[in-house]
Amino acid sequence: MRKPARYTALAAAGLLAVSSLTACANDAASSTANSGNNGGGGKGEDVKIMVGGLDKVIYLPAMLTQRLGYFSDEGLDVELLSEPAGVQAETALVSGQVQGAVGFYDHTLDLQTKGKRVESVVQFSRAPGEVEIISNKRADDITSPKDFKGRKLGITGLGSSTDFLTKYLAVKNGVDVSEFTPVAVGAGPTFISALQKGAIDGGMTTDPTVATIVEKNLGRVLLDMRTPKGSQDALGGPYPSSSLYMQTDWVNSHKETVQKLANAFVKTLKWMATHSASEIADTMPADYSQGNRTLYAGAIKSTMPMFTKDGVMPDDGPETVEKVLKAFNPNIKNTEVDLSKTYTTEFVDEAAKAAG
């Protein structure tokens, strides 16, 4: 009989004790000490997952799954690690430092053009969950992406999904990617500081950074892509973003382990669909609210519409992502991408059957 496995949690106070609501997302890659043993000495299968900002609400299912004990229930010993941007999570995955990455699905297309086979195995979302926010100092000058020309726009990192989406919005609205300056400022306090100091005129970020900026009256929302409607309006269709993606070779050689991960994440998505934002906030590490639980719960509520309930790739989602990337990415524009190799529903379909 398999004993439940111990599990690790990145929410160690020493890593997360920072002064801002969103500070965790800006820490360098960090791992955690083991958080104890749930099984009287039993040890499960080890899996390391890198998250592109562990306290970002768009990646909430990663920590929530651990907090709910669903990894342990599947006999897994999952270690969650964090990088401030999804592109860095991608790098950790392809270099073999981790077995999985929680980040945007669009990286799987970009990597295919570079000869890397990576696929989404659980799709957390059907919209980007991103917000283009403009400094109050520039609110009268930037009223749409048409006004991006000559501006300094914040992104989490060069080559990140925020970089991809910002470039698409610019090109779609007649601004060449060479006509504005993307500035890598991470998320949380570094993004907020850059906005306050005028190092950026605006930028793309997620909750809880958005909630903090609005609450402090430092900026206003220009484009809101936290809902399927927001994604449709800005991008022309559903935009599957946050996901668990893995190297295809590893998936094919570790199907039992991948199935257990899918089972755990699908259970979490179903749990999220039947619980309030307040209940979700209460389940997350206390550090994530940084003393303002109401603001944190509000940030979760604003982002909840983006999440799937079953981990399944939304219809036409891959095609929307390809269209967006082709608009500015020469690698994808000049390459035939096989979308069928960028995701699989094999494991989430099986998880749904197991759940009844």
Side-chain angles (χ1 to χ4, degrees):
M1 176 179 176
R2 173 174 292 158
K3 296 178 181 179
R6 64 180 172 81
Y7 64 90
T8 57
L10 190 62
L15 291 174
L16 300 179
V18 283
S19 60
S20 164
L21 171 66
T22 53
C24 312
N26 293 281
D27 288 347
S30 43
S31 62
T32 106
N34 296 332
S35 62
N37 198 316
N38 289 340
K43 187 177 187 302
E45 299 170 67
D46 291 326
V47 180
K48 290 183 179 180
I49 297 176
M50 185 68 78
V51 184
L54 193 52
D55 79 328
K56 294 177 184 177
V57 177
I58 58 171
Y59 300 142
L60 181 148
M63 178 56 76
L64 183 58
T65 302
Q66 198 164 74
R67 299 286 288 185
L68 292 170
Y70 292 160
F71 291 138
S72 179
D73 289 348
E74 293 291 329
L76 297 173
D77 185 17
V78 174
E79 184 177 10
L80 298 174
L81 308 168
S82 187
E83 284 279 13
V87 66
Q88 293 159 329
E90 168 199 297
T91 300
L93 177 69
V94 298
S95 66
Q97 296 175 49
V98 296
Q99 289 76 52
V102 170
F104 269 40
Y105 161 72
D106 53 23
H107 291 292
T108 69
L109 280 73
D110 188 49
L111 285 168
Q112 189 180 124
T113 69
K114 300 171 183 175
K116 305 290 185 181
R117 286 197 61 192
V118 173
E119 61 188 15
S120 166
V121 295
V122 183
Q123 194 60 49
F124 298 157
S125 62
R126 51 193 177 151
E130 302 281 354
V131 172
E132 185 70 30
I133 202 154
I134 301 300
S135 166
N136 281 341
K137 300 172 185 175
R138 297 287 179 264
D140 293 336
D141 304 323
I142 306 174
T143 59
S144 84
K146 294 178 181 179
D147 301 319
F148 282 177
K149 187 174 182 179
R151 303 299 179 183
K152 295 174 291 185
L153 300 175
I155 56 174
T156 53
L158 297 175
S160 67
S161 296
T162 52
D163 189 16
F164 293 164
L165 288 170
T166 301
K167 286 176 177 175
Y168 174 74
L169 291 173
V171 170
K172 180 185 176 186
N173 287 275
V175 179
D176 190 85
V177 295
S178 65
E179 294 181 307
F180 69 93
T181 304
V183 183
V185 292
T190 52
F191 186 102
I192 294 168
S193 176
L195 198 69
Q196 285 179 304
K197 294 177 180 178
I200 57 175
D201 300 307
M204 190 169 293
T205 191
T206 60
D207 275 314
T209 306
V210 175
T212 302
I213 290 171
V214 172
E215 192 266 342
K216 292 180 178 294
N217 196 31
L218 299 174
R220 66 171 183 82
V221 172
L222 180 67
L223 288 172
D224 189 341
M225 295 178 285
R226 290 175 290 191
T227 66
K229 183 182 184 304
S231 177
Q232 180 72 44
D233 292 345
L235 307 173
Y239 196 93
S241 56
S242 57
S243 65
L244 170 68
Y245 62 86
M246 313 179 88
Q247 296 202 62
T248 301
D249 286 346
W250 198 91
V251 171
N252 291 338
S253 60
H254 296 79
K255 287 201 170 189
E256 184 179 350
T257 301
V258 177
Q259 186 62 62
K260 291 175 182 178
L261 287 167
N263 292 346
F265 278 124
V266 169
K267 283 173 68 176
T268 296
L269 292 168
K270 290 182 181 297
W271 187 94
M272 289 169 62
T274 57
H275 289 75
S276 68
S278 181
E279 290 170 318
I280 294 171
D282 286 343
T283 308
M284 297 297 283
D287 306 74
Y288 282 27
S289 68
Q290 287 296 308
N292 194 334
R293 186 193 164 286
T294 301
L295 185 66
Y296 182 58
I300 292 174
K301 184 175 182 180
S302 295
T303 307
M304 280 295 291
M306 73 175 276
F307 292 109
T308 69
K309 298 178 181 179
D310 52 16
V312 175
M313 177 66 71
D315 291 341
D316 301 325
E319 289 78 10
T320 303
V321 173
E322 182 181 33
K323 178 198 71 175
V324 167
L325 297 183
K326 278 184 178 292
F328 65 86
N329 186 321
N331 291 334
I332 293 180
K333 192 172 186 178
N334 300 318
T335 304
E336 191 68 32
V337 176
D338 187 345
L339 293 177
S340 69
K341 293 180 179 178
T342 62
Y343 71 97
T344 177
T345 62
E346 172 186 351
F347 301 99
V348 293
D349 289 344
E350 193 62 34
K353 292 177 187 176

